[in-house]
């Protein structure tokens, strides 16, 4: 099997790391992990700090980095996360409070979120190529691809985005954050911090006795506890269609990232690396139906 070479090569924990923080893609979680668990030289080093585009970070913000990392997310779930952050978090409420275009907040009930999400998406569908008038909060239009290309256009340069994605030394996926940790910790090698070596040994398995170690060892930063849903595939088709319209480029990028990720995990599970399963049946079952929209 042909494995993606750059994303499986060793990483020296003594070198400088640059993490491209894309909003609502678990960036704060990863930065906390880099700082508190791995003790890496990470740039930027603030969980709520600057979120540079790839170009700016490589040329100016973190130009001394030896490795560049990022985290991507299923576009459908990314859009929902942006919406609930704007609607429910303290930061989001402050951002949207005085906006002349009233942010949709009909209520806090389960069904209210659907109505408001639909209204929020519809606002951006009507904007077309206009990138302003986004309630002073997130603009979900191909958000991740625009972060990769440093462009504000409705349809970013896909060739550039794909090249940028290939150039990363490590790409985590929000849907597989535990498995992403296993890959990173393995690539950091024997010089990785003891906590990483311990997690790799105790948690990166598929046997039941290792599940508790996974729960205890995974860092997660949360900004609000409202609007949480275990599944988005049951949202009304009209709503899901709007998400698809707004995230066509992001979906293309994510599908490619997901394929690469699974190839990388196949390598990690092979006799060339750990020689045991890491992507377990419960994780595959959880996401198989949720990500089926990408087929």
């Amino acid at each position: 099997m042909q494995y993606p070479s750059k994303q499986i090569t060793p990483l020296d924990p003594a070198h400088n790391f640059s993490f491209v923080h894309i909003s609502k893609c678990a960036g704060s979680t990863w930065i906390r992990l880099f700082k508190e668990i791995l003790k890496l030289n990470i740039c930027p080093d603030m969980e709520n700090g600057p979120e540079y585009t790839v170009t700016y970070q490589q040329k100016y913000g973190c130009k001394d980095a030896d490795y560049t990392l990022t985290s991507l997310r299923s576009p459908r779930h990314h859009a929902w996360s942006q919406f609930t952050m704007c609607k429910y978090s303290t930061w989001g409420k402050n951002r949207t409070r005085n906006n002349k275009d009233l942010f949709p907040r009909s209520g806090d009930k389960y069904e209210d979120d659907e109505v408001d999400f639909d209204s929020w998406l519809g606002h951006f569908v009507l904007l077309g190529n206009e990138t302003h008038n986004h309630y002073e909060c997130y603009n979900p239009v191909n958000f991740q691809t625009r972060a990769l290309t440093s462009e504000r256009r409705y349809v970013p340069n896909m060739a550039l985005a794909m090249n940028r994605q290939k150039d990363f030394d490590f790409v985590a996926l929000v849907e597989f954050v535990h498995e992403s940790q296993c890959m990173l910790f393995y690539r950091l090698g024997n010089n990785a911090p003891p906590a990483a070596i311990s997690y790799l040994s105790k948690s990166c398995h598929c046997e039941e006795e290792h599940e508790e170690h996974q729960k205890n060892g995974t860092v997660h930063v949360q900004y609000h506890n409202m609007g949480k849903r275990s599944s988005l595939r049951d949202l009304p088709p009209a709503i899901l269609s709007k998400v698809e319209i707004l995230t066509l480029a992001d979906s293309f990028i994510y599908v490619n990232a997901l394929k690469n990720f699974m190839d990388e995990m196949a390598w990690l599970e092979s006799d060339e690396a750990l020689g045991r399963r890491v992507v377990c049946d419960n994780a595959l079952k959880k996401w198989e139906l949720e990500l089926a929209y990408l087929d």
Side-chain angles (χ1 to χ4, degrees):
M1 181 175 180
Q2 189 76 22
Y3 298 115
S5 58
K6 187 171 185 179
Q7 282 74 31
I8 63 175
T9 55
L11 301 171
D12 189 339
H15 285 188
N16 295 324
F17 290 75
S18 167
F19 181 77
V20 177
H21 186 171
I22 303 175
S23 289
K24 307 313 299 172
C25 289
S28 296
T29 293
W30 279 104
I31 291 174
R32 181 175 298 182
L33 179 83
F34 297 144
K35 290 174 56 181
E36 298 184 3
I37 305 299
L38 300 180
K39 311 297 183 183
L40 297 180
N41 298 316
I42 188 69
C43 174
D45 63 358
M46 295 175 59
E47 294 176 19
N48 299 317
E51 297 181 13
Y52 302 130
T53 61
V54 176
T55 299
Y56 185 88
Q57 192 148 316
Q58 290 179 338
K59 289 186 176 181
Y60 307 104
C62 306
K63 62 181 180 180
D64 295 326
D66 301 292
Y67 307 117
T68 304
L69 301 73
T70 196
S71 177
L72 300 177
R73 190 171 195 172
S74 156
R76 177 181 289 180
H77 301 80
H78 188 228
W80 178 265
S81 183
Q82 292 174 75
F83 162 71
T84 57
M85 183 72 169
C86 292
K87 181 176 179 178
Y88 287 119
S89 72
T90 300
W91 172 85
K93 289 177 180 178
N94 289 334
R95 293 287 298 179
T96 59
R97 179 181 300 154
N98 299 319
N99 192 265
K100 61 183 179 66
D101 296 315
L102 189 61
F103 186 91
R105 282 193 182 87
S106 62
D108 297 342
K109 296 180 181 178
Y110 192 86
E111 56 270 23
D112 295 332
D113 284 340
E114 286 192 11
V115 171
D116 292 345
F117 188 46
D118 185 45
S119 177
W120 183 74
L121 294 168
H123 173 80
F124 290 101
V125 170
L126 291 175
L127 285 180
N129 292 328
E130 176 60 63
T131 57
H132 301 291
N133 303 321
H134 48 78
Y135 304 109
E136 300 301 323
C137 202
Y138 297 122
N139 181 337
V141 181
N142 294 317
F143 191 105
Q144 296 176 79
T145 312
R146 288 188 287 118
L148 297 182
T149 60
S150 309
E151 295 176 325
R152 297 182 178 275
R153 295 188 300 162
Y154 182 73
V155 181
N157 184 326
M158 293 306 301
L160 177 59
M162 290 293 290
N163 287 334
R164 288 277 168 77
Q165 181 186 320
K166 293 177 183 177
D167 284 342
F168 282 112
D169 296 284
F170 173 76
V171 178
L173 297 184
V174 174
E175 290 69 35
F176 296 96
V177 64
H178 159 69
E179 294 80 4
S180 297
Q181 283 184 223
C182 292
M183 172 61 80
L184 178 63
F185 293 173
Y186 181 81
R187 292 178 60 195
L188 289 174
N190 294 330
N191 292 325
I197 295 175
S198 175
Y199 186 92
L200 188 65
S201 173
K202 295 178 179 179
S203 302
C204 298
H205 298 261
C206 285
E207 293 80 5
E208 290 185 7
E209 63 264 29
H210 297 286
E211 291 182 358
E212 195 61 34
H213 290 290
Q214 293 180 18
K215 295 177 184 176
N216 294 335
T218 302
V219 177
H220 179 64
V221 178
Q222 183 170 294
Y223 292 102
H224 64 91
N225 58 8
M226 298 291 288
K228 304 297 183 182
R229 295 198 178 207
S230 59
S231 171
L232 296 181
R233 64 181 183 275
D234 295 328
L235 286 171
I239 292 180
L240 297 179
S241 177
K242 289 175 184 173
V243 177
E244 181 179 359
I245 291 170
L246 296 172
T247 60
L248 285 174
D250 278 6
S251 293
F252 186 86
I253 291 296
Y254 184 83
V255 166
N256 188 70
L258 180 60
K259 178 185 180 301
N260 289 344
F261 179 81
M262 289 303 175
D263 287 345
E264 293 159 18
M265 297 310 299
W267 170 81
L268 184 64
E269 294 178 336
S270 74
D271 291 337
E272 295 181 34
L274 283 177
R276 61 176 182 262
R277 287 194 65 192
V278 175
V279 184
C280 307
D281 290 338
N282 59 343
L284 293 172
K285 183 178 179 181
K286 175 183 178 181
W287 288 108
E288 183 177 12
L289 293 177
E290 277 295 286
L291 299 180
Y293 77 95
L294 295 165
D295 291 342

